[in-house]
Amino acid sequence: MGDPFLRTRIVLPTRPATFLRRQRLVDHLDQALRTPLTLVNGAAGAGKTLLAADWAAGLRQSVAWLTVEVGDRRPSVFWAYVLQSLRACGAQAPGAVGFPADATRVDRKLLSALAAALNDRDEPVVVVLDEYDRVSAPEIAEQLEFVLHHAGRGLRLVLVTRTEPLLPLHRYRAAGELTEIRAAELAFTPEEAVALLGLHGLSLPVHAAGALVDRTRGWAAGLRLCALAAQESADPELYLKEFEADRSTVADFLLAEVLKRQTDETQDLLLRVSVLERFCPDLANQLTHRTDAEALLVGLHRENAFVEHLGHQWYRLHPLFGEILRAHLRVRLPGLEPELHLRAARWLRRHGSLPETLDHGAAAGDWAFTAGALVDDLAIGQLFTGLRSDDLAQLFSRMGPEATGLATDLVRAARDLSQGDLDRGLAHLHHAEEQLADYAPGPAHDQAPGPAAARLSCALLEALAARLTGSPVRAEKAAEAADELRQEVPAHLLEKHPELTALLLTHLGSTRLWAGRFDDARAALSAAAGTPGGASSVLPREESMGHLALIDYLNGWLGRAERKALAAVSEAERLGLPQPSGSAIGRLVLAAVAVDRDELGRAQALLDETAGLPSGTHDPVTAAGRAITTARLLLVRGRTRAAVEAVDPAVSAAVTSPWAASHEALVASAAHLAEGRPERAAEVLQGVCDHQPGCAVEAARIQLAAGRPAAANDLLDSIPTDGRTGPAVTVRAALVRAQAADGAGDTDTARKLVAQALLDARRERLRRPFLDARTWLRPLLATAPLHELAAGWLTPGESRRGESRGGESRGGESSRPEAQPSPLVAAELSGRERDVLERLARMMSTEEIAADLYVSVNTVKTHLKSVYRKLAVNRRSDAVRRARDLRLL
């Protein structure tokens, strides 16, 4: 043809001074010496060429390099350059094979001669074809396959390309004769990004580099361009963190190398789908109003044009490419973006993808549609589940007052109630109910929610409102309405959102509990606790278990209460909810149990964990539980005035809770009694403690303190003996009877009653009643039989040399060391946790434990953290000591 050979096409490209050699990729490329074919496939700027050049420069073998150009689409030109590159590296002698004689075709004899010459070599020659994606002629691929097959061990072919070559890769892959390096492997790691930036004089911590790698997907050119731009910035680290992709050299690169190379139809498609996080051909067609998306997307992915395939016909754009396209969209098609979001939202709603529907509806600014989608899907309960609640609250916080309608008011009510804003939430709920009374939805395609879904959502919010206002009648009406409405909504939606039923039952059970209807409450709460649904209903399950634990605690069953409360806490932890979550009623029960066991430090720690939770601010049950537990803790610490002030939960409720009122009276009465006013203590209990066994025991104690033992025994005789009342009440009652018997001189009866109380209390680790009674009880506990029953869990540490025999130290605190209490869940250590604990006792380091158990150091640390939590300690030595006290070691 008369054209001279361009030598620059057949020499190795020069690596820049800031080139980073990545040994892991070089090592992988070394496999190319053992396989006939190697493919280095990645997007523009992925670092393919420099990687191949760096690897080739270090080889001992002959390397023929050819950078393919568009003109090489003609077979004769392509093969002329291949042969010239072989001669240039010394792999072929001049004239040994010849040159193509025809400008339009390549003779098969020439290819056969080349293959035979390569096959005769003692050492294979490496041929690297860079930019191979520019070869589009099928006959060239066929000819290359012919030479590769017949050259045998004499040829190692390396193709550096953006697209899939027209070669039978599947055959080479199946035979184990193909080495592949693709986009995922070419991507920089955070550590490699740090090293690359260092070559540009930039210092960035790994975590910051990790964020940059996430944004660029480890794209080599993107990282290098960012580094070059950051060098010119006054604050390089801030620039790398916050740079605007559409105003950078990255944008210039991607627009020139990717977007402008595409057809007009493909460019239009890319601009429109840039508003989506992911897309499929049908969704893309919805945005373009065309039908060619499938073929275009397949082609873009094959070309490595920054369109990533997610599987099952779903795709996404490279993050930086998406940012740049969105900016370009606003310039090319101003004002179209909201319309594209709305088209996407409507398509996604029809195809059942609620989270994406809501995101795009909000981006379109169509709040009636967005709120209607949430309500219609029966997903309004997700504002309360702890999984997506924060995301949904943040999304709907952008909804302005101009958005009106039934669905928007329902969502506003749910959002405000979920955040503890009772007044605004109830106002929005009332407004929604007024609209619902005259509600007539439009056609099926209308944005308004369906009537059954709207009414069921309203019933859920009514049940929550009843719970927060302490209104049992309102709760029962909401539950009845919900039962009827469940028949009117599609069954698949109820199955899809088990959290709605679980929330309804939890609210109903909580309201019944507030009213003192323990049996009815237990029925609703047990049903809620058994709701299926995994993570979606974990929060109502946790709350219901916590409420069931509270019922057991109020009935005096500490062990049962603790087990249920721990199950509630563990369920939330297992599924990754933030702790404490919900109303944290389970932790309040554990704190109350800790007070009864005289584990005051632990009780305070549990109370501190639940402080300041907005969800519990207006919840009467939670507020009363926190107030009562706090007051009892203050009381046993001798701060009687503070206890009386703290016991009032300061919440308004439609009805008075009998158990909350009785416990408030108990604290006030105990405070008066501690201050030497038994008559005033008795007055406080009058009229509020009917049918409350705990009040009867306290009243009996007051009568005894006033010198009226017969009246005390009469009150104790009124306590039901149906087995519902647990040791926390019966032990106290037995001690009052024992004190009365001891005062009357009947020591044998007193000892028998104390012995029975010790046996019952030991099972529950119930210490507080004995510490409250220690003034008269100490002589009895000193006798051999009773001393043996108390040893090991009650008497150790009760007094020490130099302290008062009453066991009080300065400030009214018990002097019994708090390191002694048993852990919250000692019996629930897993087998692996016990293995770690045993090695901890042998003074093994974390690394030694990991090696001994064949696990990672991080796994050991996770087990240690769990052991510390379960044993309520913070140090290794304390964990070992407590485990030995509990005979776990």
Side-chain angles (χ1 to χ4, degrees):
M1 297 175 64
D3 294 336
F5 285 110
L6 299 175
R7 181 167 176 76
T8 53
R9 294 181 54 195
I10 57 177
V11 296
L12 295 181
T14 303
R15 277 86 68 205
T18 54
F19 171 74
L20 176 69
R21 181 182 179 89
R22 293 190 281 168
Q23 194 60 46
R24 62 181 178 88
L25 295 178
V26 173
D27 292 342
H28 192 173
L29 258 181
D30 283 340
Q31 295 180 23
L33 302 175
R34 299 191 292 272
T35 59
L37 180 61
T38 294
L39 187 66
V40 182
N41 188 324
K48 309 179 297 296
T49 296
L50 292 180
L51 167 65
D54 181 55
W55 169 75
L59 294 179
R60 294 182 298 100
Q61 290 94 332
S62 299
V63 177
W65 182 280
L66 173 61
T67 301
V68 179
E69 290 191 352
V70 175
D72 297 344
R73 292 172 182 171
R74 291 169 294 181
S76 58
V77 176
F78 173 80
W79 285 107
Y81 264 103
V82 170
L83 290 166
Q84 182 64 14
S85 67
L86 287 167
R87 291 185 178 93
C89 74
Q92 288 286 323
V97 174
F99 275 102
D102 190 330
T104 60
R105 57 184 292 274
V106 176
D107 193 288
R108 178 59 64 96
K109 290 182 179 180
L110 177 71
L111 299 176
S112 298
L114 174 60
L118 291 171
N119 190 43
D120 290 340
R121 288 179 58 87
D122 296 329
E123 185 179 68
V125 62
V126 176
V127 175
V128 180
L129 300 180
D130 188 27
E131 304 280 6
Y132 183 76
D133 46 277
R134 293 173 176 172
V135 173
S136 57
E139 59 266 34
I140 293 180
E142 293 174 6
Q143 293 161 1
L144 194 61
E145 159 64 9
F146 172 82
V147 172
L148 180 62
H149 176 70
H150 292 288
R153 300 178 58 84
L155 174 62
R156 295 292 181 256
L157 179 63
V158 179
L159 303 182
V160 181
T161 176
R162 297 186 191 183
T163 62
E164 292 291 287
L166 298 176
L167 293 172
L169 298 181
H170 60 282
R171 291 211 309 261
Y172 287 95
R173 190 178 291 119
E177 295 181 339
L178 176 64
T179 298
E180 296 180 85
I181 296 180
R182 294 185 175 269
E185 193 173 358
L186 289 167
F188 273 66
T189 66
E191 292 76 15
E192 290 170 344
V194 169
L196 178 65
L197 293 170
L199 292 174
H200 289 79
L202 301 172
S203 177
L204 201 66
V206 173
H207 69 87
L212 182 62
V213 167
D214 286 341
R215 190 175 176 194
T216 61
R217 293 277 198 272
W219 177 43
L223 290 169
R224 174 165 165 72
L225 291 171
C226 287
L228 291 171
Q231 287 177 323
E232 307 300 322
S233 172
D235 188 340
E237 184 172 344
L238 182 64
Y239 174 85
L240 292 171
K241 183 178 181 182
E242 300 180 355
F243 74 93
E244 297 178 78
D246 58 300
R247 297 172 183 246
S248 67
T249 53
V250 175
D252 299 336
F253 183 97
L254 287 173
L255 292 175
E257 290 290 328
V258 182
L259 185 63
K260 292 179 181 178
R261 291 189 175 193
Q262 308 301 328
T263 64
D264 290 343
E265 291 80 10
T266 302
Q267 289 188 37
D268 181 68
L269 172 75
L270 288 170
L271 289 171
R272 289 170 183 263
V273 299
S274 68
V275 303
L276 303 169
E277 287 293 324
R278 64 181 190 127
F279 44 89
C280 65
D282 193 21
L283 176 53
N285 286 332
Q286 182 76 15
L287 269 58
T288 62
H289 288 322
R290 300 199 309 268
T291 59
D292 57 354
E294 183 171 7
L296 294 179
L297 290 173
V298 169
L300 286 166
H301 175 61
R302 285 180 58 87
E303 295 169 16
N304 276 309
F306 292 83
V307 175
E308 304 169 6
H309 188 222
L310 302 176
H312 304 287
Q313 286 200 314
W314 284 90
Y315 299 84
R316 70 179 176 189
L317 295 173
H318 185 286
L320 287 181
F321 195 32
E323 288 181 51
I324 294 162
L325 287 173
R326 284 190 291 276
H328 215 53
L329 171 68
R330 295 174 194 127
V331 174
R332 275 205 199 177
L333 302 168
L336 183 62
E337 194 170 353
E339 172 62 23
L340 293 174
H341 279 296
L342 190 56
R343 287 188 210 172
R346 286 174 172 163
W347 186 92
L348 289 161
R349 185 175 181 180
R350 290 196 304 272
H351 290 80
S353 179
L354 181 64
E356 291 172 293
T357 297
L358 300 179
D359 288 340
H360 288 289
D366 193 332
W367 293 106
F369 169 88
T370 307
L374 185 77
V375 173
D376 251 359
D377 201 73
L378 289 184
I380 201 166
Q382 290 186 350
L383 277 159
F384 307 95
T385 59
L387 296 172
R388 294 200 64 232
S389 54
D390 289 343
D391 293 339
L392 288 174
Q394 184 176 2
L395 184 145
F396 282 105
S397 67
R398 292 148 46 195
M399 182 169 61
E402 72 282 355
T404 59
L406 171 60
T408 56
D409 277 321
L410 284 172
V411 171
R412 285 190 180 100
R415 182 194 63 198
D416 292 338
L417 291 174
S418 71
Q419 295 175 345
D421 192 339
L422 185 58
D423 294 337
R424 290 182 60 181
L426 292 177
H428 287 307
L429 179 57
H430 179 67
H431 193 203
E433 288 172 335
E434 287 180 339
Q435 296 179 72
L436 202 53
D438 303 317
Y439 184 60
H445 64 273
D446 197 273
Q447 295 177 353
R455 293 181 191 280
L456 188 53
S457 298
C458 194
L460 169 64
L461 299 181
E462 270 292 317
L464 175 57
R467 171 182 173 179
L468 297 179
T469 57
S471 178
V473 174
R474 188 176 187 178
E476 297 296 340
K477 287 182 179 179
E480 291 173 7
D483 284 340
E484 295 176 2
L485 289 165
R486 281 194 191 93
Q487 311 304 316
E488 300 180 26
V489 299
H492 75 275
L493 284 181
L494 287 173
E495 293 174 1
K496 180 181 175 182
H497 294 291
E499 74 277 357
L500 189 140
T501 299
L503 286 165
L504 272 164
L505 290 169
T506 302
H507 301 333
L508 177 63
S510 179
T511 312
R512 288 174 174 176
L513 192 160
W514 175 253
R517 295 163 50 196
F518 288 176
D519 289 342
D520 292 338
R522 186 180 284 109
L525 294 167
S526 297
T531 304
S536 65
S537 60
V538 62
L539 188 56
R541 292 204 308 271
E542 177 199 7
E543 286 201 319
S544 60
M545 288 294 290
H547 282 73
L548 288 169
L550 179 59
I551 293 174
D552 282 335
Y553 176 80
L554 293 173
N555 284 332
W557 297 98
L558 268 61
R560 296 178 189 174
E562 181 187 51
R563 286 190 291 274
K564 288 186 175 69
L566 285 169
V569 173
S570 299
E571 177 76 355
E573 287 180 345
R574 183 176 64 84
L575 291 169
L577 282 185
Q579 294 295 327
S581 57
S583 64
I585 192 71
R587 275 178 160 73
L588 291 175
V589 172
L590 292 174
V593 170
V595 173
D596 279 328
R597 291 174 175 168
D598 199 45
E599 299 166 358
L600 308 187
R602 187 177 308 160
Q604 186 64 64
L606 288 163
L607 281 172
D608 291 344
E609 287 182 16
T610 63
L613 287 175
S615 58
T617 303
H618 292 285
D619 184 344
V621 172
T622 303
R626 182 177 290 112
I628 291 167
T629 305
T630 301
R632 291 191 61 237
L633 181 58
L634 291 168
L635 194 63
V636 300
R637 285 176 164 171
R639 300 173 59 188
T640 54
R641 289 298 89 200
V644 173
E645 292 174 4
V647 76
D648 183 1
V651 293
S652 58
V655 301
T656 301
S657 171
W659 59 267
S662 67
H663 278 77
E664 184 176 348
L666 278 172
V667 170
S669 173
H672 287 303
L673 190 61
E675 293 173 353
R677 295 190 295 274
E679 297 300 332
R680 182 71 184 106
E683 290 175 11
V684 170
L685 291 179
Q686 290 178 358
V688 296
C689 292
D690 295 341
H691 311 297
Q692 296 290 324
C695 284
V697 174
E698 182 63 19
R701 196 162 74 95
I702 293 169
Q703 292 291 344
L704 192 60
R708 294 188 286 270
N713 281 322
D714 288 342
L715 286 167
L716 295 174
D717 289 339
S718 68
I719 298 175
T721 57
D722 55 4
R724 294 191 177 189
T725 304
V729 175
T730 59
V731 166
R732 286 180 169 87
L735 290 177
V736 173
R737 290 186 188 277
Q739 184 179 1
D742 187 59
D746 189 353
T747 306
D748 288 343
T749 298
R751 286 177 177 169
K752 289 178 182 178
L753 288 167
V754 171
Q756 186 58 52
L758 286 168
L759 287 170
D760 292 342
R762 185 167 63 181
R763 288 193 294 269
E764 304 278 342
R765 304 200 306 280
L766 176 62
R767 301 181 180 91
R768 195 68 244 165
F770 299 94
L771 297 175
D772 291 340
R774 54 192 148 203
T775 302
W776 67 268
L777 187 59
R778 185 175 290 106
L780 289 176
L781 290 180
T783 60
L786 297 182
H787 178 76
E788 184 176 346
L789 288 175
W793 68 277
L794 177 62
T795 54
E798 187 174 325
S799 63
R800 292 180 296 188
R801 187 182 302 274
E803 295 179 351
S804 66
R805 294 290 294 169
E808 296 290 337
S809 60
R810 286 181 297 176
E813 292 279 7
S814 169
S815 63
R816 184 179 54 78
E818 286 199 11
Q820 293 297 329
S822 303
L824 293 178
V825 65
E828 296 188 16
L829 289 180
S830 69
R832 184 59 83 187
E833 288 166 355
R834 288 176 180 268
D835 290 340
V836 170
L837 189 59
E838 289 171 1
R839 286 157 179 79
L840 207 64
R842 301 206 298 264
M843 303 297 290
M844 293 173 68
S845 69
T846 304
E847 291 74 14
E848 290 170 336
I849 295 173
D852 198 43
L853 293 177
Y854 298 98
V855 297
S856 70
V857 170
N858 284 336
T859 299
V860 173
K861 290 179 178 178
T862 299
H863 288 313
L864 283 175
K865 183 178 179 181
S866 179
V867 168
Y868 291 166
R869 177 180 59 81
K870 292 180 178 181
L871 296 181
V873 297
N874 295 312
R875 295 183 303 179
R876 292 177 168 227
S877 57
D878 291 341
V880 172
R881 178 172 48 76
R882 184 159 292 174
R884 284 174 175 153
D885 289 343
L886 295 165
R887 299 180 182 177
L888 296 177
L889 291 173

